[in-house]
Amino acid sequence: MAEAYKAPKLPVQQLVILALCRLADPISFSSVFPYLPEMIESFNVPKDEVGRWAGILSAVFSFGQAATGILWGRASDRFGRKPVILTGMVCVMSTGLLFGFSQNLAMAVVARSLAGASNGNVENKKHRRDYGRKLGKSIVRAFRPKPRKRHLGDDQQSAPLLKQSRISSMSSNSDENNSRPIRKPIAQAPPTYREVFSGQSNINLVTYTLLALHSVAYDQLLPVFMHYPLQHNRASDANVSLPFKFSGGFGIDSERIGIIFTLYGVAGTIIQFLIFPPVARYYGVLNSLKVVTIMFPLVYLATPFTALLPDQLTQQIGIMLIMLIKCFAAIFAFPCTTILLTNSAVSLRILGTLNGVATSVSAIGRATGPAVSGVLFETGSKRGWAILPWWVLAGFAILGAIPVWWLVEMEGFGASEDDDEEEEDGTTDQPEMLRAHGQTSEPEGILRDEGNNTATGNEEIPSTSNRLSKWSSSSSGAAIGSPLKKVSSPIGLKTSPGPGGNNLCNGTTMTASNQKPTFYFIHGALHQASIWNAVRSSLEAHSYPTSAAKLPSSGGRHVSSHLEDTAFVRKELETLIVQEEKEVIVVMHSYGGLVGSNAVSGLEAADRKAKGGKGGIVRCVFITAYVVPTGKSLADIGDGPADFIAPDPTDSLCVIAIGPEKVFYNDVPNPISALWVAQLTPQATASFTSKMTSTVVDSGLVPCTYFLCENDQALLLSIQEEMLEAAKQWGRAKWNVERISTGHSPWLSDVDGTVTLLIKAAERS
């Protein structure tokens, strides 16, 4: 009996530990801000020069990070995250003590430089043996009672993030299947610059750098401004010309500044944990970022005028209100940019290096901002223009808001708990298919909480031996052609974990040269759009625009027929073709073959050109996909649902997969296969029973390519060949046939080979 997969719990303990580690960086960098002006004064620095030296001390810390950030990132990719984090923790502690014991300005500058250069808190998951955990388990094992016999689902209570239970697919061989296979480490090539610096990553890095520049400079300059002496007798001072020309600060000490910054931090914590998650989930990461970037310039423009308030109490109240607005903006901006940057990574393999690059370039901003603002504060104070540093920061904030409008929410990637298991075994399995964890719109793994209803169990996973009885029909639905064996009903593919999956009208289309056709991907049953992440990223690197449908029938949504999917696809294709006049290649997988071929009528490029129109569908690509005649449904030509799908125990109108790792991903190694299994969703049963109203094969106006997947366990090669031969008889389409030695999901097991064949299909068009 199939049992629904239970969504695993978050690894709270691990996340708390990592969060505490990450606190070391802001504490090391910004905790000195409240007392830094008085500390600099203790080195016999004139008051007018305190701002400049405060900026320099902040700048050298960040320049140190910029110089070593990429090195720390590559070290994390090579040696593992834990050794790098632990090394960074030790360095933060020792350099912090060195700074605290500084006796003069030169010693303080050296200490801050070393603190920045040795701050190696670049976190990245890396497959390697964890000796600490192995030792801990050995100790605990001696005091642990004998394990009881566990039932299906027991492990889910303690499963970390994206944990996928490893369940035997053959009940007669449970002992053999439950034993973990031994794999040798696979050599992993270092990330290339082309992989790290994708188009969206570059825009994110610019946004992140400018954000760090003005936000950190503001926070560093505030204590200097608050500590700077009051300007008295402004009314009689010839150097004052209100409302813009004036100088002076609040004249308060580090104790009061520390209290204000403590309240600032408490407010930030409340916003971070109670306000940011629901707001970002509701409005989206990118929309939230766009709003808060507009808030920064307004905050900076208003800040210097708090010095004109009548007394210290009103000045402190005024600056606190402004700081709360800035805190709200910063608390939203930094997580949003981090999420968007992470989701722009084309592969989990390059994430550590990308984080290192982000640390370095943002550190340049964090260094430049305080250094420039410190000099400007000194200049403005001496010449009576207190607004000078703040309004320059407002200009930087405006510049930082501009590239945000070119950002898109990519689909992101996730990771499987099998990664952690690999660390325990001292093995690693990181093939190029890790790219399949590709890009994010709104991150599902971060901002969404969707359950999973994939069935796995100890049931035997049968092969798809149901056969076609008849593949015949004319365009009007009349039967023609020779009888053939029956084929089992469709099962499509599953989608990736990541921020979203909907694109085009529901999300975004990847940008590339308009001179090349746009690839439009249609996933199979039980899957989502993000299953195409890897192949889309690779095609984008070759300057091919891409988009992917997120079919209404997947994800447990009820539909009356596959025609609802067809209508959805049709609307998106019309946007690309009719409105944007693009040439499109429709790529269909498994069940997606029904949807795509039923949606193209009237959008063929040849037909539109004959009528004086531009754009249109120039080719259809079937990747081990169903080709069903007009007037027929999958129910008409099959023996019913395939043996590897079953009714959803929680929803009678949907079906789920049984043993998908053996059927859909038989040639996709862990942890990739486990990741995609965890992302499978229920499929509306009605999508399999409705009849085709048209098909691209009928008219012959669009050339077609079929990818025969020779090791497919869901749609057997013999059935693919029978469908293709039958389609050549009842249809008019011209076919090109490609053979791939893969299973049901070639873009996961052979990304490069799949992309090569897709580009070949595009060049034929």
Side-chain angles (χ1 to χ4, degrees):
M1 184 68 181
E3 183 169 339
Y5 175 80
K6 296 180 181 179
K9 296 181 179 180
L10 284 172
V12 177
Q13 183 179 4
Q14 183 179 6
L15 291 177
V16 169
I17 293 172
L18 290 175
L20 291 175
C21 291
R22 289 300 299 148
L23 280 175
D25 179 38
I27 289 176
S28 175
F29 178 70
S30 61
S31 64
V32 304
F33 288 172
Y35 62 81
L36 191 58
E38 289 189 20
M39 183 178 182
I40 294 173
E41 287 179 357
S42 71
F43 299 145
N44 299 318
V45 175
K47 287 185 179 295
D48 286 343
E49 299 179 9
V50 168
R52 173 160 58 94
W53 284 107
I56 290 174
L57 284 171
S58 297
V60 294
F61 181 97
S62 297
F63 275 127
Q65 282 189 321
T68 61
I70 295 179
L71 298 178
W72 283 114
R74 287 194 174 272
S76 177
D77 285 334
R78 181 173 181 181
F79 300 111
R81 67 200 187 282
K82 289 183 181 178
V84 170
I85 292 174
L86 290 173
T87 302
M89 293 289 97
V90 173
C91 292
V92 167
M93 177 180 64
S94 57
T95 54
L97 291 173
L98 181 64
F99 179 73
F101 285 108
S102 297
Q103 300 296 309
N104 52 60
L105 193 58
M107 184 176 176
V109 170
V110 171
R112 290 296 282 172
S113 300
L114 293 176
S118 59
N119 196 318
N121 293 322
V122 181
E123 297 165 17
N124 177 42
K125 187 152 197 174
K126 174 72 177 176
H127 295 262
R128 84 186 258 109
R129 185 185 298 271
D130 186 344
Y131 293 100
R133 185 159 67 175
K134 283 193 126 3
L135 176 61
K137 286 191 173 183
S138 299
I139 297 173
V140 171
R141 190 178 297 116
F143 301 95
R144 181 179 294 168
K146 292 183 179 180
R148 62 182 175 84
K149 185 175 181 179
R150 307 179 78 132
H151 298 283
L152 178 65
D154 287 352
D155 290 338
Q156 302 304 324
Q157 301 302 320
S158 60
L161 189 65
L162 292 180
K163 162 74 176 173
Q164 184 62 54
S165 58
R166 295 184 300 277
I167 300 170
S168 168
S169 62
M170 304 290 287
S171 58
S172 61
N173 296 314
S174 59
D175 291 339
E176 177 184 350
N177 289 332
N178 286 333
S179 63
R180 190 169 183 82
I182 299 176
R183 294 192 296 269
K184 295 181 179 180
I186 295 178
Q188 186 177 0
T192 65
Y193 284 102
R194 186 172 185 178
E195 288 178 305
V196 175
F197 297 104
S198 66
Q200 279 299 301
S201 292
N202 290 338
I203 298 176
N204 273 285
L205 289 172
V206 171
T207 302
Y208 192 28
T209 301
L210 291 173
L211 173 63
L213 186 153
H214 62 72
S215 180
V216 172
Y218 180 87
D219 289 343
Q220 180 271 328
L221 196 58
L222 272 177
V224 178
F225 174 60
M226 294 183 204
H227 183 68
Y228 196 79
L230 290 164
Q231 184 182 37
H232 300 284
N233 302 319
R234 286 194 177 101
S236 59
D237 193 334
N239 291 324
V240 176
S241 178
L242 298 177
F244 298 115
K245 189 177 182 183
F246 60 91
S247 63
F250 297 174
I252 59 178
D253 58 20
S254 60
E255 181 180 355
R256 183 59 60 89
I257 296 172
I259 293 173
I260 293 175
F261 268 78
T262 298
L263 296 175
Y264 186 44
V266 171
T269 302
I270 294 173
I271 295 170
Q272 180 78 70
F273 287 99
L274 300 182
I275 299 177
F276 171 73
V279 172
R281 184 183 302 115
Y282 184 81
Y283 292 104
V285 172
L286 183 56
N287 290 332
S288 299
L289 181 61
K290 288 178 178 178
V291 171
V292 298
T293 53
I294 299 174
M295 298 168 63
F296 285 112
L298 302 178
V299 167
Y300 302 160
L301 291 173
T303 295
F305 295 102
T306 57
L308 299 178
L309 295 173
D311 53 59
Q312 286 188 341
L313 178 60
T314 55
Q315 288 174 343
Q316 292 170 42
I317 293 174
I319 197 64
M320 192 69 227
L321 293 176
I322 291 176
M323 288 173 67
L324 288 177
I325 299 174
K326 194 269 180 181
C327 180
F328 181 91
I331 290 298
F332 270 74
F334 280 102
C336 288
T337 52
T338 300
I339 291 169
L340 292 170
L341 177 65
T342 299
N343 293 334
S344 71
V346 299
S347 167
L348 185 65
R349 182 172 61 88
I350 62 99
L351 186 56
T353 300
L354 181 60
N355 282 341
V357 172
T359 299
S360 292
V361 298
S362 67
I364 294 174
R366 293 200 296 174
T368 303
V372 171
S373 62
V375 172
L376 292 175
F377 185 86
E378 178 184 356
T379 302
S381 298
K382 290 180 177 179
R383 300 187 180 184
W385 291 94
I387 66 172
L388 179 61
W390 309 104
W391 284 36
V392 170
L393 289 182
F396 280 118
I398 293 172
L399 288 176
I402 294 174
V404 172
W405 300 91
W406 275 271
L407 288 173
V408 295
E409 294 190 62
M410 311 297 283
E411 291 181 4
F413 52 82
S416 169
E417 166 59 11
D418 284 330
D419 295 353
D420 287 335
E421 298 295 340
E422 296 299 326
E423 293 179 13
E424 294 181 33
D425 291 346
T427 62
T428 178
D429 191 2
Q430 296 208 359
E432 283 299 309
M433 290 90 67
L434 275 170
R435 297 178 191 169
H437 301 270
Q439 290 39 258
T440 64
S441 56
E442 183 180 319
E444 290 177 2
I446 299 174
L447 297 176
R448 296 187 181 181
D449 184 17
E450 298 180 359
N452 186 293
N453 293 286
T454 303
T456 57
N458 289 331
E459 300 89 342
E460 181 175 351
I461 306 301
S463 62
T464 343
S465 55
N466 299 351
R467 314 292 286 178
L468 285 170
S469 62
K470 186 177 292 185
W471 280 96
S472 59
S473 174
S474 65
S475 60
S476 61
I480 61 171
S482 58
L484 295 171
K485 299 176 182 178
K486 274 195 154 186
V487 67
S488 57
S489 291
I491 297 298
L493 274 180
K494 120 199 148 150
T495 161
S496 112
N502 49 325
N503 296 287
L504 192 62
C505 301
N506 290 320
T508 178
T509 301
M510 289 186 177
T511 58
S513 170
N514 292 328
Q515 296 179 353
K516 293 186 177 182
T518 296
F519 281 95
Y520 182 81
F521 292 91
I522 305 175
H523 61 79
L526 305 170
H527 290 71
Q528 300 176 45
S530 44
I531 192 70
W532 302 106
N533 285 345
V535 69
R536 291 182 62 192
S537 296
S538 184
L539 286 169
E540 184 193 22
H542 288 85
S543 300
Y544 284 95
T546 72
S547 185
K550 186 174 184 179
L551 300 180
S553 64
S554 63
R557 292 180 289 273
H558 297 161
V559 298
S560 59
S561 73
H562 84 278
L563 297 178
E564 290 189 34
D565 287 337
T566 297
F568 176 85
V569 168
R570 175 78 181 196
K571 182 178 179 180
E572 292 201 331
L573 288 175
E574 286 177 346
T575 300
L576 286 171
I577 295 170
V578 179
Q579 297 181 21
E580 301 177 17
E581 297 184 336
K582 292 183 177 180
E583 293 185 345
V584 177
I585 297 175
V586 180
V587 181
M588 300 159 281
H589 176 254
S590 196
Y591 161 78
L594 281 74
V595 177
S597 61
N598 206 160
V600 304
S601 179
L603 297 177
E604 302 93 340
D607 184 55
R608 288 178 57 79
K609 184 177 181 180
K611 296 177 181 178
K614 296 180 180 179
I617 297 171
V618 295
R619 182 169 291 272
C620 286
V621 178
F622 294 77
I623 301 179
T624 185
Y626 288 90
V627 187
V628 179
T630 301
K632 297 289 185 180
S633 70
L634 282 172
D636 293 333
I637 61 174
D639 289 332
D643 294 331
F644 51 82
I645 64 171
D648 186 345
T650 64
D651 189 341
S652 61
L653 298 180
C654 293
V655 294
I656 54 177
I658 302 174
E661 68 279 359
K662 298 294 184 182
V663 179
F664 299 151
Y665 317 119
N666 56 298
D667 61 342
V668 179
N670 271 323
I672 307 305
S673 61
L675 170 65
W676 296 118
V677 167
Q679 295 300 311
L680 286 171
T681 63
Q683 177 75 19
T685 308
S687 60
F688 302 145
T689 59
S690 51
K691 299 182 183 298
M692 299 285 288
T693 58
S694 66
T695 174
V696 67
V697 182
D698 285 336
S699 66
L701 293 175
V702 179
C704 298
T705 298
Y706 198 101
F707 290 5
L708 293 170
C709 296
E710 297 177 336
N711 296 319
D712 194 337
Q713 300 302 306
L715 189 56
L716 298 181
L717 176 62
S718 58
I719 299 176
Q720 299 174 53
E721 292 173 334
E722 289 172 5
M723 283 192 297
L724 181 58
E725 290 305 314
K728 291 178 180 178
Q729 295 178 26
W730 55 259
R732 299 178 181 177
K734 295 181 179 179
W735 290 91
N736 297 104
V737 180
E738 305 286 355
R739 288 183 173 270
I740 316 177
S741 299
T742 67
H744 196 60
S745 310
W747 60 90
L748 298 182
S749 55
D750 186 7
V751 178
D752 293 338
T754 303
V755 169
T756 298
L757 291 179
L758 287 173
I759 293 176
K760 181 179 178 182
E763 291 172 347
R764 282 175 171 163
S765 305

